[in-house]
Amino acid sequence: IRRGLFEVDKLTVATLLTLKILVNDGKMEASEVEFLINGGSCVDPGNMGPLHEWMDENIWKKVKALESMPRFKGIGDSMQSDSDDWGAWFDVEKVEEADIPGEIK
């Protein structure tokens, strides 16, 4: 696969293959993959609270839409109550190596 793809497409294909494996193994629902690929936005996300200091309003709308997925239920409330921790995590250069604040795993 690696030799038959353009360099810019390799990460996309690897991600799609990984997501397909996760669905086939029952570790993710197809609807979750669909949401992550297509994205979503909440029409009325409500008050951002202290998050407005470091988070763009459009990101907040996407966070609130993410709460429709069971594994992310309450992430917006967690971000508001632990705003400083989430803000620090948001600014980490290699976020994939950092621990996610709150109860989200």
Side-chain angles (χ1 to χ4, degrees):
I1 292 176
R2 290 181 55 95
R3 294 189 311 193
L5 293 173
F6 292 113
E7 192 65 34
V8 297
D9 297 327
K10 289 180 181 178
L11 183 59
T12 302
V13 171
T15 300
L16 291 173
L17 286 172
T18 301
L19 292 171
K20 185 69 172 174
I21 290 168
L22 289 170
V23 169
N24 287 342
D25 289 349
K27 295 181 179 179
M28 282 189 83
E29 297 291 326
S31 61
E32 292 175 326
V33 172
E34 184 78 21
F35 181 88
L36 292 174
I37 290 173
N38 294 329
S41 187
C42 184
V43 177
D44 185 20
N47 188 352
M48 291 177 66
L51 300 175
H52 75 278
E53 295 175 14
W54 56 268
M55 182 185 286
D56 185 80
E57 187 176 338
N58 289 325
I59 295 174
W60 178 241
K61 289 178 181 180
K62 293 176 187 294
V63 167
K64 293 305 282 184
L66 193 61
E67 285 186 323
S68 67
M69 295 173 56
R71 82 175 63 221
F72 293 106
K73 186 171 177 70
I75 191 171
D77 294 335
S78 173
M79 292 178 87
Q80 286 182 324
S81 63
D82 298 327
S83 177
D84 292 337
D85 293 340
W86 280 98
W89 181 81
F90 190 80
D91 290 333
V92 171
E93 187 172 327
K94 291 191 173 189
V95 72
E96 66 277 6
E97 296 175 3
D99 290 333
I100 299 173
E103 307 266 333
I104 307 299
K105 299 294 173 207

